[in-house]
């Protein structure tokens, strides 16, 4: 939809935007309205308040919703399938045990964190953590010390991958809203995620773990989870030992798990690299072989190829019905996230068409506030107020997307950095209104005070350090 002639001046439009966000928070926090319903309702009310013509109102709403789902839904769904296949077939056990055996007892937290970085690429934080919990308990029991010393580094890894790296819904939806190149977002996300994890998740997590002595929960599955405790790999590192993932089926080989996790990244980087080489004139961008390889590296195709490879390789020995049940089970948990993201796209389209985005751009310019700082502050405020990182990220992306469109001279790198900025703001200060706060606290046997001193601090370190790295890279954008 084209932007209409604004019905009001800058002041009234910004007041409507502020009122819309405040009402959204009120509905979600006070009245416990589901985020999907709240976002759709606020989109309609905002459209009416800004006087979008009634004959264009529904088209505006559905256009924003449908455009967002066309990009986000497929990526998140395929990523969830890949992750579920790796989870059910024992990929987490293979990664963790293989790396712990290689790194040794003194570096067990590092080994668990590195394993989590790989395993967290296609799998959502909560699902990945639940799968990893028995492994963490097992390692903590085996080597001794506070369970947090072993739990926080992988938790930090899951958090940075979930927040910064496609195909997770946050960076995927933000990239769609901000018209950022997905391959570049993936590259920038990894460049920022790895040092952020090392500083916040590994170094910071170990410091917190040493200061807060927490025993392995008495009712944990440590030692009885079926995880391979120290005998995970053969001498060549390609097998997972004698344990089985399900029934009599063996775990996948270590190199198989690594290969599946790296495949989509390699394909996506292929697209981004050829695009860069074509722009620089190194290769002929119009050549058939270049275009064919770029299609193969397009994010939806790359994830489709990886999903097909996963079905064949990880599904070996299983019936077709069993494999179908596995991938079906991956979709149900992500439906709400996909729909909420679509509703965020609806809200963003209303903000664009009504002229609110342009008004915000003019205001930021007059105040001298850089867009990247404003994006971080808005995302942080929404995260603290209502808890959901997805809602904070999609709402902020919707608010600033029209502003970005009205800003001249924006480079692709800046767009990618802006995506990570939103993710940083949506990560900090996880507290009692965040479901992840309770998930981590419950599984690790912590009370609220201890969870605030550990998990909340870890999440805040990730968001702040990540944003600091974004600011450094923005110098070159």
């Amino acid at each position: 939809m084209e932007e209409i002639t604004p019905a009001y001046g800058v002041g009234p439009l910004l007041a409507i935007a502020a009122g819309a966000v405040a009402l959204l928070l009120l509905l979600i926090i006070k009245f416990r309205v589901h985020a999907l319903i709240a976002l759709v309702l606020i989109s309609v009310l905002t459209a009416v308040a800004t006087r979008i013509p009634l004959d264009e109102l529904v088209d505006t709403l559905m256009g924003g919703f449908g455009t967002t789902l066309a990009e986000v839904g497929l990526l998140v769904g395929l990523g969830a399938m890949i992750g579920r296949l790796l989870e059910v077939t024992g990929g987490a056990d293979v990664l963790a045990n293989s790396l712990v055996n290689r790194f040794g007892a003194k570096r067990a937290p590092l080994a668990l964190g590195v394993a989590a970085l790989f395993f967290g690429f296609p799998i959502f934080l909560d699902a990945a953590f639940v799968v990893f919990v028995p492994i963490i308990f097992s390692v903590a029991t085996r080597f001794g010390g506070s369970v947090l010393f072993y739990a926080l580094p992988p938790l930090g890894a899951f958090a940075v991958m979930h927040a910064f790296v496609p195909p997770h819904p946050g960076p995927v939806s933000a990239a769609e809203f901000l018209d950022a190149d997905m391959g570049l977002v993936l590259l920038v996300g990894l460049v920022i995620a790895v040092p952020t994890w090392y500083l916040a998740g590994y170094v910071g997590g170990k410091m917190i773990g040493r200061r807060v002595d927490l025993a392995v929960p008495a009712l944990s599955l440590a030692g009885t989870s079926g995880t391979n405790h120290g005998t995970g790999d053969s001498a060549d590192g390609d097998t997972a030992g004698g344990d089985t993932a399900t029934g009599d089926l063996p775990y996948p080989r270590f190199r198989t798990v690594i290969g599946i996790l790296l495949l989509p990244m390699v394909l996506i980087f292929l697209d981004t690299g050829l695009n860069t080489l074509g722009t620089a004139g190194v290769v002929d961008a119009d050549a058939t072989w270049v275009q064919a390889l770029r299609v193969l590296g397009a994010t939806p195709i790359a994830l489709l190829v990886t999903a097909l490879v996963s079905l064949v390789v990880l599904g070996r020995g299983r019936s077709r019905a069993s494999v179908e049940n596995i991938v079906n089970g991956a979709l149900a948990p992500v439906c709400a996230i996909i729909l909420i993201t679509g509703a965020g796209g609806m809200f963003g389209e209303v903000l664009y068409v009504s002229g609110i985005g342009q008004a915000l751009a003019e205001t930021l310019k007059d105040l001298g506030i850089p867009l990247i700082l404003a994006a971080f502050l808005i995302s942080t405020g929404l995260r603290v107020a209502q808890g959901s990182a997805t809602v904070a990220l999609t709402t902020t992306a919707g608010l600033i997307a029209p502003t970005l469109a009205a800003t001249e001279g924006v480079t692709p790198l800046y767009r990618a950095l802006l995506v990570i900025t939103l993710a940083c703001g949506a990560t900090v200060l996880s507290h009692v209104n965040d479901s992840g706060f309770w998930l981590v606290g419950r599984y690790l046997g912590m009370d609220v005070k201890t969870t605030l001193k550990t998990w909340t601090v870890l999440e805040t370190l990730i968001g702040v350090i990540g944003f600091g790295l974004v600011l450094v890279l923005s110098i070159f954008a």
Side-chain angles (χ1 to χ4, degrees):
M1 296 290 294
E2 295 292 330
E3 183 176 350
I4 64 172
T5 301
Y8 305 105
V10 171
L13 285 175
L14 292 180
I16 291 172
V21 173
L23 182 56
L24 176 66
L25 295 176
L26 182 67
L27 290 173
I28 295 174
I29 298 172
K30 177 68 174 178
F31 297 104
R32 311 299 297 177
V33 177
H34 192 277
L36 173 64
I37 296 175
L39 278 166
V40 173
L41 177 60
I42 292 302
S43 298
V44 174
L45 294 178
T46 304
V48 172
T50 55
R51 294 188 179 180
I52 291 178
L54 295 180
D55 60 343
E56 298 179 11
L57 192 148
V58 174
D59 287 341
T60 300
L61 297 174
M62 299 311 295
F65 186 83
T67 300
T68 303
L69 287 189
E71 290 286 340
V72 176
L74 186 60
L75 303 188
V76 174
L78 289 171
M81 287 181 179
I82 297 165
R84 181 64 175 165
L85 282 164
L86 284 166
E87 171 191 336
V88 171
T89 56
D93 288 17
V94 171
L95 272 176
N97 289 317
S98 298
L99 292 173
V100 167
N101 289 339
R102 285 169 170 77
F103 281 71
K106 292 183 179 179
R107 295 182 178 179
L110 178 62
L112 289 172
V114 171
L117 284 173
F118 281 102
F119 192 62
F121 172 66
I123 301 182
F124 293 175
L125 186 152
D126 18 0
F129 176 58
V130 170
V131 173
F132 242 63
V133 161
I135 301 169
I136 293 169
F137 289 162
S138 172
V139 174
T141 301
R142 175 179 167 189
F143 296 124
S146 172
V147 69
L148 291 174
F149 185 73
Y150 304 97
L152 294 182
L155 267 172
F158 290 140
V160 296
M161 296 302 283
H162 185 85
F164 298 166
V165 181
H168 290 285
V172 166
S173 59
E176 167 61 20
F177 291 147
L178 304 182
D179 195 26
D181 178 82
M182 197 67 68
L184 191 56
V185 171
L186 175 56
L187 178 60
V188 171
L190 287 172
V191 167
I192 293 177
V194 174
T196 297
W197 166 75
Y198 185 82
L199 295 173
Y202 177 60
V203 177
K206 287 204 307 178
M207 290 177 61
I208 297 170
R210 287 193 180 101
R211 294 178 180 178
V212 182
D213 187 15
L214 187 70
V216 176
L219 298 180
S220 78
L221 298 178
T224 61
S225 65
T227 304
N228 186 355
H229 307 308
T231 60
D233 283 346
S234 64
D236 65 359
D238 283 341
T239 61
D243 287 351
T244 57
T246 54
D248 296 326
L249 297 175
Y251 282 148
R253 293 172 179 265
F254 175 73
R255 65 185 181 187
T256 299
V257 175
I258 293 295
I260 289 174
L261 291 173
L262 291 179
L263 178 58
M265 287 190 270
V266 171
L267 292 175
I268 292 170
F269 286 154
L270 179 65
D271 175 33
T272 303
L274 286 173
N275 181 49
T276 302
L277 293 174
T279 302
V282 177
V283 298
D284 182 4
D286 296 325
T288 302
W289 70 271
V290 172
Q291 294 179 354
L293 289 177
R294 289 200 61 194
V295 167
L296 189 63
T299 308
I301 304 301
L303 288 175
L304 175 62
V305 170
T306 306
L308 291 172
V309 171
S310 301
L311 287 170
V312 173
V313 175
L314 299 177
R316 187 178 296 125
R318 290 173 169 80
S319 67
R320 293 182 180 178
S322 173
V323 174
E324 182 183 8
N325 287 335
I326 292 173
V327 295
N328 279 339
L331 296 179
V334 303
C335 284
I337 293 175
I338 292 173
L339 291 174
I340 289 171
T341 303
M346 177 187 293
F347 185 45
E349 184 71 4
V350 169
L351 295 174
Y352 168 74
V353 172
S354 64
I356 288 177
Q358 178 66 41
L360 182 59
E362 294 174 4
T363 301
L364 292 176
K365 184 177 180 180
D366 292 341
L367 294 176
I369 300 177
L371 180 59
I372 206 163
L373 176 60
F376 178 75
L377 294 176
I378 295 171
S379 183
T380 298
L382 290 173
R383 160 70 158 174
V384 173
Q386 52 77 46
S388 170
T390 301
V391 173
L393 200 149
T394 54
T395 303
T396 308
L399 280 169
I400 69 168
T403 305
L404 184 64
T407 304
E408 297 181 356
V410 178
T411 65
L413 177 58
Y414 189 85
R415 291 179 185 273
L417 289 171
L418 201 54
V419 170
I420 309 303
T421 296
L422 297 182
C424 291
T427 299
V428 301
L429 293 172
S430 168
H431 61 96
V432 294
N433 61 0
D434 177 21
S435 60
F437 177 91
W438 297 105
L439 178 76
V440 171
R442 182 184 66 207
Y443 269 90
L444 296 181
M446 296 188 290
D447 57 23
V448 171
K449 181 179 179 181
T450 305
T451 310
L452 286 169
K453 290 163 55 179
T454 56
W455 170 247
T456 302
V457 172
L458 180 70
E459 285 275 85
T460 303
L461 282 173
I462 289 171
V464 172
I465 291 174
F467 183 57
L469 294 175
V470 166
L471 291 179
V472 172
L473 291 180
S474 67
I475 298 173
F476 306 100

